[in-house]
């Protein structure tokens, strides 16, 4: 085993240039280099400062609602007839998903850096809502960029953001969705970098974002580890999480990377199946490329044009995946699978009926795979699924697609 692939070495990544093996790095216009360097320095100081960590813990508890429970999904376990299924309940957090962990962390960092204004991109609106909430709480001026098509599809989230005082700016370029909103946020940042911090919403983009966002979500795995040890007296056999950019997954997995006997699986959006434009499973249909700040797996055509994507869940619907996941996939530490829209809708109903928990469509991708694994494993095994968010935001959309 080479040094870079030994589990303990892995947890020291990225290297000083922001790389995870050949993935990651910094691919941005010259005008953003100074801002990213300033951010990296400020983040590393904050990370190692006990005062910052104490303040972070305080707000995670009081504002976000941490720690979240570890929940034994008893009836789903019975239904599958195999391994015990546990859920890490990130769906119970304020604003409905794990995203608030990172939004609080970056807002505190922005405060420390003396920034007055915060910008963010959002697709489905979940990250926009989390960002608007922390901006209201900490008194930042807030602008959220959102594709015009997404604004139409997620009008309730646009209203939520505006209620909390955010300015929501519609983006009319390109496909008018998430990728175009990211471009517009970058443009704003280049222009206003002196007083503005950009809260990127997932473990993606140029260094230090993939590292920093991961670190703000590590609390998920730290809690889960202590909770399963208290409950079962041992660590789980398998971990499962859905992967959009990859933040909830790496937040859970990171704490367990150096446990060689724990299998970890990231679940991508299989959409209507693995054919061009029908899915967002980057590891099933993508290849190495550069998109919006880093080198990673990207869905692209032969000319390097970004392919359109599809998923029933807006939060997994992006053409590229976080660089750290590409690295762990390459060296075999994390496996990847996908769930189709059809499987997700079926399991969305099943989980609601058997557990009284309506999961986010994104998280349901992880449940689909978790149930498959539980069926394949014996009753003395444990599968821990990250329930990244709640499904309240999805019920109207699902109502149009199925009958209860
Ligand atoms: C945004 C979102 C995701 C996908 O983002 P990651 O960065 O991959 O975690 C997953 N689940 C929920 C509930 C989300 O809101």
């Amino acid at each position: 085993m080479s040094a870079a692939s030994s589990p303990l070495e892995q947890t020291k990544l990225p290297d000083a240039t922001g790389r995870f093996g050949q993935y990651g790095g910094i691919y941005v216009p010259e005008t953003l280099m100074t801002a990213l360097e300033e951010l990296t320095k400020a983040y590393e100081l904050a990370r190692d400062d006990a005062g910052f960590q104490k303040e972070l813990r305080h707000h995670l508890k009081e504002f976000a609602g941490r720690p979240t429970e570890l929940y034994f999904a008893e009836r789903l376990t019975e239904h599958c007839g195999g391994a015990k299924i546990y859920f890490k309940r990130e769906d119970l957090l304020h604003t409905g998903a794990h995203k608030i962990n990172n939004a609080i962390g970056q807002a505190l960092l922005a405060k420390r850096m003396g920034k007055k204004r915060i910008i963010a991109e959002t697709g489905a609106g979940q990250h926009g809502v989390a960002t608007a909430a922390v901006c209201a709480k900490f008194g930042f001026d807030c602008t959220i960029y959102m594709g015009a098509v997404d604004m139409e599809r997620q009008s309730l989230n646009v209203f939520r953001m505006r209620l909390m005082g955010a300015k929501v700016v519609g983006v009319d370029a390109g496909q008018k969705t998430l990728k175009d909103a990211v471009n517009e946020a970058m443009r704003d940042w280049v222009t206003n970098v002196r007083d503005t911090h950009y809260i990127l919403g997932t473990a993606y983009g140029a260094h230090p974002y993939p590292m920093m966002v991961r670190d703000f979500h590590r609390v998920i795995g730290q809690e889960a580890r202590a909770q399963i040890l208290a409950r079962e007296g041992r660590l789980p056999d398998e971990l499962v999480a859905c992967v959009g950019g990859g933040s909830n997954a790496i937040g859970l997995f990171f704490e367990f990377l150096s446990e060689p006997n724990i299998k970890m699986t990231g679940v991508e959006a299989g959409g209507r199946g693995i054919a061009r434009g029908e899915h967002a499973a980057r590891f099933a249909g993508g290849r190495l490329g550069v998109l919006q700040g880093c080198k990673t797996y990207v869905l692209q055509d032969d000319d390097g044009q970004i392919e359109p994507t599809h998923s029933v869940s807006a939060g997994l619907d992006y053409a590229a995946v976080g660089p750290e996941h590409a690295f762990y996939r390459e060296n075999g530490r994390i496996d990847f699978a996908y769930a189709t829209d059809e499987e997700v809708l079926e399991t969305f109903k099943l989980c609601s009926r058997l557990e009284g928990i309506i999961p986010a469509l994104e998280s349901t991708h992880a449940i689909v795979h978790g149930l498959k694994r539980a069926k394949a494993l014996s009753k003395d095994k444990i599968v821990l699924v990250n329930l990244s968010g709640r499904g309240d935001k999805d019920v109207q959309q699902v109502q149009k697609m199925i009958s209860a």
Side-chain angles (χ1 to χ4, degrees):
M1 210 184 249
S2 72
S5 63
S6 97
L8 281 174
E9 286 298 315
Q10 286 174 6
T11 59
K12 291 191 191 130
L13 290 173
D15 66 18
T17 63
R19 288 183 185 277
F20 305 87
Q22 63 170 320
Y23 306 102
I26 306 180
Y27 296 83
V28 296
E30 196 64 34
T31 42
L32 275 182
M33 288 305 288
T34 319
L36 288 166
E37 277 163 21
E38 179 201 30
L39 181 59
T40 305
K41 278 200 198 110
Y43 171 64
E44 285 172 350
L45 285 173
R47 182 188 61 194
D48 301 336
D49 175 356
F52 179 84
Q53 292 298 339
K54 189 171 171 222
E55 197 183 356
L56 178 59
R57 271 197 306 278
H58 168 76
H59 294 298
L60 285 175
K61 176 172 186 288
E62 193 182 277
F63 190 59
R66 301 212 74 91
T68 61
E69 288 298 327
L70 184 73
Y71 168 83
F72 175 43
E74 196 169 355
R75 295 193 70 207
L76 279 173
T77 297
E78 257 171 46
H79 174 85
C80 292
K84 278 188 172 176
I85 301 163
Y86 279 90
F87 288 161
K88 179 60 175 159
R89 298 290 308 273
E90 295 296 292
D91 62 313
L92 294 176
L93 288 173
H94 181 44
T95 68
H98 67 291
K99 290 201 170 70
I100 194 81
N101 300 326
N102 169 54
I104 291 177
Q106 288 199 47
L108 289 179
L109 184 62
K111 197 169 75 153
R112 203 179 144 104
M113 293 172 78
K115 308 284 181 185
K116 301 279 178 259
R117 180 173 174 264
I118 278 176
I119 59 169
E121 83 296 336
T122 196
Q126 289 305 106
H127 176 55
V129 169
T131 301
V134 299
C135 286
K137 177 175 169 50
F138 294 111
F140 287 105
D141 183 270
C142 176
T143 300
I144 307 289
Y145 289 96
M146 190 168 184
V149 168
D150 289 335
M151 279 180 77
E152 180 90 31
R153 285 195 289 212
Q154 302 286 338
S155 59
L156 213 52
N157 273 339
V158 174
F159 184 62
R160 282 193 183 99
M161 289 181 247
R162 287 181 173 152
L163 264 179
M164 292 186 282
K167 188 171 146 205
V168 183
V169 178
V171 177
D172 267 316
Q175 279 196 318
K176 307 181 189 188
T177 58
L178 178 59
K179 178 164 64 68
D180 314 293
V182 174
N183 284 337
E184 213 47 44
M186 300 260 252
R187 215 162 284 149
D188 180 319
W189 203 32
V190 169
T191 316
N192 300 299
V193 66
R194 282 177 64 95
D195 74 335
T196 299
H197 175 64
Y198 175 17
I199 302 190
L200 209 148
T202 186
Y204 194 79
H207 182 66
Y209 283 105
M211 168 182 79
M212 178 170 69
V213 177
R214 172 195 75 195
D215 289 350
F216 286 136
H217 286 299
R218 283 176 60 183
V219 63
I220 303 172
Q222 288 163 350
E223 286 177 6
R225 184 185 187 106
Q227 288 167 323
I228 197 76
L229 282 173
R231 178 82 188 242
E232 291 279 352
R234 68 177 188 90
L235 295 176
D237 299 283
E238 298 204 13
L239 304 175
V240 184
C242 66
V243 179
S247 69
N248 87 86
I250 199 68
L252 174 67
F253 294 166
F254 197 79
E255 208 56 29
F256 299 92
L257 281 171
S258 51
E259 304 285 350
N261 296 327
I262 300 183
K263 181 178 162 71
M264 303 178 188
T265 307
V267 186
E268 299 183 282
R272 291 181 287 251
I274 307 305
R276 186 180 177 277
E278 301 291 329
H279 69 100
R282 291 68 44 106
F283 290 128
R287 60 195 164 80
L288 194 62
V290 169
L291 180 65
Q292 296 183 319
C294 63
K295 188 187 272 188
T296 184
Y297 267 70
V298 182
L299 291 168
Q300 55 189 317
D301 67 16
D302 292 340
D303 300 324
Q305 295 294 323
I306 304 308
E307 302 218 325
T309 51
H310 163 81
S311 168
V312 68
S313 66
L316 303 185
D317 198 353
Y318 184 65
V321 62
E324 189 162 7
H325 287 285
F327 174 72
Y328 293 131
R329 175 178 179 264
E330 184 178 85
N331 68 21
R333 184 62 194 94
I334 302 178
D335 293 330
F336 288 84
Y338 59 82
T340 63
D341 289 356
E342 202 182 322
E343 291 174 310
V344 164
L345 288 172
E346 215 36 64
T347 300
F348 182 85
K349 283 195 283 188
L350 187 70
C351 181
S352 302
R353 281 201 191 173
L354 291 186
E355 297 294 346
I357 295 172
I358 302 176
L361 288 172
E362 290 83 3
S363 323
T364 310
H365 285 72
I367 303 174
V368 167
H369 190 77
L371 300 188
K372 285 181 192 168
R373 294 305 304 152
K375 284 176 191 166
L377 293 166
S378 56
K379 288 187 174 177
D380 59 336
K381 301 287 193 225
I382 298 171
V383 176
L384 198 160
V385 176
N386 203 15
L387 197 62
S388 53
R390 67 180 86 128
D392 303 35
K393 67 185 178 58
D394 298 316
V395 291
Q396 271 188 313
Q397 179 195 347
V398 173
Q399 189 183 25
K400 290 181 195 146
M401 294 185 284
I402 60 169
S403 52

